[in-house]
């Protein structure tokens, strides 16, 4: 086994979190080595404009994603079941190369609400402790507030060039933005995207109902932009091929488009590709880490020593590395003790498909994050006193549903499924279709967790991760409530054919892609008894280890996680080079 020369920092996984941390740390003068499981991948060679936007290749076969045979896990709903391996992508849409899922994501760039960060405290304050301690949910605050996160959200938005319209700048509410959002210091760096027909119909209907529609903040840039790193990006052309695709126009924010052009030119940065980290190495006293062990592309085990280790891989990989490295105490659902693997959560999805006769939606025009939303029923923006749940959902419509193969499955109930009848139904309904999608929060449950599977191992002989999870009853109730609201909105929009859906009205499964926002397992917090990392994402057990990503979220909000991952990564990186390197040790008291 070879041991490489020591780096100041080794980063495990070069997606959004890893690239943002590497940029921040190398700019501060630290020598950084990143190790990524996948191959090098960039726009100019992998998805340039000359590459066809082939739905079969990218949207169906998912060629940009990591293959399940190379990285999978096992799943069960309850501890009395035997978990089985997931053999399709399902909800775990991991990136297939450097850039991670940031290369193929849709681009919704949300900030979480102030309530999300203090969910336990705020629930008790408004509704009493019985609502927080219902016997099933396992609520906890993040250890950081929205106001503390705000400058780091702003930094992420500037690097990514996010398009949007602010609804709350220093307490001044603008009705053209989201009036429910937390206070911002300034507007988005680029204007909001254009309003397309499905958005117009949704906006008009929800406004008539007294709600507050706004355009979703997007990493699909509305105009040319140069970010603070000096990287130039183009304007979105609304081509309609975005989610699961690379962007040859350099107008969808990604590590490749926003960070790599600067990072890869720095002499104090190096990336090792096609190499899988299998362990974080602990010092003899167990109080610090010394680096990582990885398997290179020749199948050889290597050791990369470093003064600081940053685990910035996909959520499930972060948790698995903590477990296989023996860092922290694994969570025990029977006693609710231990922390590693605790608080897995997902996204609670419901909504409606609809067809509005006489409309021409032109659904083939759009972008990955293109749509309108109301937050009237998100977070704690409405009174839950007489309701049997907490939290809520962003209720949105999307302008990105024109892909011909996928769209063929979206026909009114009773339509023929083959032959000339199917063709006629598809022809008649393609232009009239739109959707309302409720992206709901997900509350952690005491029985929902991640551990190492006793029966299955990967090709390196490392145990697979095992997921045990089912929805909280609160989430199920919330999904039904928001589905009913979406039916009302669809009726107001003029839809005659409405097909409701609710993914939470049956047992949770990893096989159906309701969403791909998987959360938790190495959660952050102010109490070592209930968290793996402190509010700076620094391990409570080994002070020179930082675990960064959606694995740190104690619960999932009614929003996409990427901007929060990015903001937390920048915050952790700044704490490392501004404070930690000058005085190594815990960044918080406790």
């Amino acid at each position: 086994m070879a041991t490489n020369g020591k780096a100041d920092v080794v980063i495990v996984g070069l997606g959004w979190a890893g690239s943002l941390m590497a940029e921040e740390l190398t700019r501060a003068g630290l020598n950084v080595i990143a190790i990524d499981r996948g191959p090098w991948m960039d726009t100019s060679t992998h998805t340039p404009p000359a590459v066809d936007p082939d739905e079969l290749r990218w949207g169906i076969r998912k060629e940009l994603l990591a293959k399940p045979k190379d990285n999978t896990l096992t799943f069960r709903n309850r501890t009395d079941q035997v978990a089985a391996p997931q053999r399709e992508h399902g909800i775990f849409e991991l990136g297939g190369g450097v850039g991670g899922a940031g290369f193929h994501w849709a681009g919704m760039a949300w900030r979480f609400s102030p309530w999300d960060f203090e969910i336990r405290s705020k629930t008790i304050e408004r509704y009493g402790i019985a609502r927080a301690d219902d016997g099933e949910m396992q609520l906890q605050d993040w250890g950081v507030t929205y106001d503390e996160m705000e400058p780091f959200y702003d930094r992420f938005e500037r690097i990514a060039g996010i398009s949007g319209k602010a609804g709350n700048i220093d307490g001044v509410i603008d009705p053209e933005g989201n009036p429910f959002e937390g206070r911002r210091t300034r507007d988005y760096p680029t204007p909001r995207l254009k309003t397309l027909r499905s958005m117009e119909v949704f906006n008009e209907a929800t406004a008539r109902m007294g709600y507050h529609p706004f355009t979703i903040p997007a990493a699909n840039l509305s105009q040319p932009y140069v970010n603070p790193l000096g990287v130039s990006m183009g304007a979105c052309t609304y081509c309609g091929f975005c989610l699961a695709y690379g962007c040859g126009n350099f107008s969808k924010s990604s590590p490749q488009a926003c960070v790599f052009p600067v990072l890869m030119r720095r002499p104090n940065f190096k990336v090792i590709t096609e190499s899988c980290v299998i362990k974080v190495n602990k010092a003899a006293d167990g109080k610090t880490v010394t680096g990582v062990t990885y398997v290179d592309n020749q199948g050889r085990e290597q050791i990369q020593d470093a003064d600081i280790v940053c685990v910035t891989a996909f959520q499930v990989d972060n948790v698995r590395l903590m477990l296989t490295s023996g860092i922290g105490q694994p969570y025990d659902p029977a006693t609710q003790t231990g922390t590693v693997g605790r608080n897995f959560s997902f996204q609670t999805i419901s909504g409606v498909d609809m067809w509005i006769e006489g409309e021409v939606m032109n659904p083939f025009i759009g972008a990955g994050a293109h749509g309108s939303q109301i937050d009237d029923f998100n977070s704690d923006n409405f009174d839950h006193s007489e309701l049997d749940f907490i939290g809520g959902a962003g209720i949105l419509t999307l302008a990105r549903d024109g892909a011909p193969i996928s769209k063929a499955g979206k026909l009114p109930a009773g339509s023929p499924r083959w032959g000339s009848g199917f063709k006629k139904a598809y022809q008649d309904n393609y232009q009239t279709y739109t959707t309302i999608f409720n992206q709901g929060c997900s509350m952690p449950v005491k029985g929902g967790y991640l551990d190492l599977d006793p029966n299955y191992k990967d090709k390196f002989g490392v145990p697979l991760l095992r997921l045990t999870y089912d929805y909280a009853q609160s989430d199920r109730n919330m999904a039904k409530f928001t589905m009913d609201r979406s039916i009302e909105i669809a009726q107001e929009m003029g839809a005659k054919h409405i097909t409701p859906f609710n993914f939470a009205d049956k047992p949770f499964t990893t096989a159906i892609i309701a969403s791909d926002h998987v959360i938790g397992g190495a959660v952050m917090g102010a109490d070592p008894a209930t968290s793996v990392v402190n509010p700076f994402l620094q391990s409570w057990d080994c002070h020179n280890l930082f675990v960064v990503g959606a694995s740190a979220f104690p619960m999932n909000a009614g929003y996409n996680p990427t901007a929060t991952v990015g903001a937390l990564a920048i915050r952790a990186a700044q704490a490392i080079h501004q404070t930690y390197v000058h005085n190594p040790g815990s960044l918080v008291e406790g």
Side-chain angles (χ1 to χ4, degrees):
M1 184 183 301
T3 300
N4 301 323
K6 180 184 284 190
D8 293 328
V9 182
V10 62
I11 285 177
V12 181
L14 196 63
W16 266 122
S19 63
L20 289 167
M21 292 193 78
E23 190 285 319
E24 185 78 35
L25 296 172
T26 52
R27 183 158 39 84
L30 297 174
N31 292 310
V32 177
I33 294 176
I35 304 173
D36 197 278
R37 179 182 59 234
W40 177 254
M41 191 173 288
D42 61 33
T43 302
S44 60
T45 55
H46 291 83
T47 59
V51 171
D52 291 336
D54 184 340
E55 186 190 1
L56 182 62
R57 179 180 180 186
W58 306 112
I60 305 300
R61 293 174 177 163
K62 301 182 185 295
E63 287 192 16
L64 288 180
L65 275 61
K67 303 296 186 290
K69 69 181 181 63
D70 295 325
N71 194 64
T72 192
L73 78 171
T74 67
F75 167 69
R76 60 186 181 175
N77 289 122
R78 305 186 309 273
T79 56
D80 62 351
Q81 298 173 327
V82 176
Q86 178 175 295
R87 301 186 185 277
E88 301 289 341
H89 287 104
I91 66 171
F92 296 99
E93 298 190 322
L94 286 69
V98 296
F103 194 47
H104 69 254
W105 71 315
M108 290 190 188
W110 296 102
R111 297 182 178 197
F112 282 14
S113 77
W115 178 81
D116 294 319
F117 290 100
E118 301 174 88
I119 183 171
R120 179 174 172 81
S121 298
K122 294 298 185 184
T123 298
I124 293 172
E125 178 183 314
R126 188 170 183 182
Y127 305 111
I129 195 167
R131 294 296 292 275
D133 294 337
D134 70 341
E136 180 185 28
M137 295 186 297
Q138 192 157 251
L139 302 184
Q140 62 192 78
D141 295 347
W142 293 47
V144 65
T145 66
Y146 171 87
D147 286 341
E148 291 172 316
M149 288 293 299
E150 200 282 333
F152 305 104
Y153 273 126
D154 182 80
R155 176 66 175 171
F156 173 78
E157 289 166 356
R158 300 291 137 183
I159 291 173
I162 302 304
S163 299
K165 176 63 177 177
N168 180 354
I169 298 180
D170 289 330
V172 178
I173 303 300
D174 188 332
E176 292 190 358
N178 179 7
F180 298 101
E181 71 179 351
R183 178 196 59 82
R184 304 170 56 91
T185 54
R186 53 180 170 171
D187 210 337
Y188 289 94
T190 55
R192 61 189 172 187
L193 294 168
K194 296 180 183 298
T195 302
L196 301 186
R197 184 56 186 159
S198 63
M199 299 163 64
E200 290 176 345
V201 180
F202 178 87
N203 292 351
E204 292 164 3
T206 52
R208 287 194 299 269
M209 299 171 77
Y211 303 144
H212 303 84
F214 59 92
T215 301
I216 292 169
N220 319 116
L221 272 62
S222 61
Q223 65 183 30
Y225 177 71
V226 180
N227 76 7
L229 307 181
V231 181
S232 298
M233 299 180 67
C236 178
T237 59
Y238 303 90
C239 75
F241 295 96
C242 202
L243 175 62
Y245 300 80
C247 180
N249 201 50
F250 293 88
S251 53
K252 180 170 71 171
S253 308
S254 65
Q256 281 85 347
C258 302
V259 183
F260 288 176
V262 170
L263 182 62
M264 295 305 297
R265 287 172 169 80
R266 290 183 179 159
N268 54 338
F269 176 74
K270 176 184 177 183
V271 59
I272 302 170
T273 61
E274 299 179 86
S275 297
C276 185
V277 174
I278 59 174
K279 184 180 180 183
V280 178
N281 303 323
K282 292 195 293 185
D285 62 4
K287 296 180 180 179
T288 58
V289 296
T290 61
V292 299
T293 298
Y294 67 93
V295 180
D296 68 15
N297 59 4
Q298 301 298 312
R300 302 168 300 194
E301 283 197 10
Q302 306 266 8
I303 292 176
Q304 177 59 60
D305 289 334
D307 293 324
I308 300 168
V309 175
C310 298
V311 177
T312 58
F314 197 82
Q315 173 259 347
V316 288
D317 290 331
N318 285 358
V319 180
R320 187 182 183 209
L321 265 179
M322 294 293 285
L323 291 166
T324 57
S325 304
I327 300 172
Q329 181 182 355
Y331 174 73
D332 182 348
T335 61
Q336 286 94 61
T337 58
T339 58
V340 183
R342 172 188 173 107
N343 280 35
F344 175 89
S345 58
F346 183 53
Q347 201 102 62
T348 312
I349 303 300
S350 64
V352 299
D353 292 317
M354 72 179 93
W355 294 263
I356 306 176
E357 293 180 5
E359 279 292 349
V360 179
M361 296 296 185
N362 288 336
F364 51 87
I365 299 172
H370 204 180
S372 294
Q373 176 157 315
I374 61 168
D375 267 357
D376 298 74
F377 298 104
N378 208 349
S379 302
D380 201 39
N381 299 337
F382 58 110
D383 188 0
H384 292 68
S385 299
E386 303 302 320
L387 300 172
D388 53 1
F389 62 90
I390 62 171
I395 297 178
L396 61 102
T397 192
L398 289 166
R400 70 172 194 212
D401 285 315
I405 299 174
S406 301
K407 189 70 182 301
K410 299 294 186 181
L411 294 175
S415 298
R417 302 310 304 169
W418 63 281
S420 59
F422 163 73
K423 294 177 183 178
K424 180 67 166 56
Y426 194 6
Q427 177 183 343
D428 291 345
N429 290 284
Y430 176 83
Q431 287 280 14
T432 67
Y433 169 79
T434 189
T435 185
I436 296 176
F437 184 82
N438 303 332
Q439 183 167 238
C441 63
S442 177
M443 301 302 165
V445 293
K446 295 174 181 177
Y449 71 107
L450 295 154
D451 67 348
L452 296 177
D453 193 285
N455 301 314
Y456 295 95
K457 296 181 179 180
D458 68 9
K459 60 185 177 182
F460 302 119
V462 178
L464 295 186
L465 197 66
R466 177 174 62 180
L467 168 61
T468 305
Y469 177 73
D470 208 347
Y471 296 105
Q473 187 60 46
S474 176
D475 289 355
R476 296 184 189 278
N477 298 341
M478 181 274 295
K480 173 64 166 60
F481 175 89
T482 53
M483 184 186 73
D484 291 343
R485 304 292 77 74
S486 67
I487 294 171
E488 294 167 355
I489 295 169
Q491 291 169 340
E492 183 66 26
M493 290 172 67
K496 295 296 189 293
H497 301 287
I498 300 172
T499 303
F501 57 84
N502 180 358
F503 289 96
D505 65 354
K506 55 186 73 68
F508 172 81
T509 175
T510 62
I512 299 175
I513 311 173
S515 169
D516 57 4
H517 303 149
V518 288
I519 303 298
V523 302
M524 62 190 293
D527 183 356
T530 58
S531 57
V532 174
V533 293
N534 68 27
F536 293 98
L537 308 193
Q538 178 187 37
S539 168
W540 289 110
D541 295 271
C542 301
H543 62 74
N544 62 336
L545 171 64
F546 294 78
V547 186
V548 183
S551 56
F553 298 8
M555 48 74 71
N556 204 4
Y559 304 105
N560 301 59
T562 305
T564 302
V565 169
L568 286 170
I570 294 168
R571 185 172 187 265
Q574 289 189 8
I576 289 171
H577 73 75
Q578 292 174 1
T579 303
Y580 180 83
V581 295
H582 304 294
N583 185 24
S586 178
L587 291 167
V588 301
E589 296 182 3

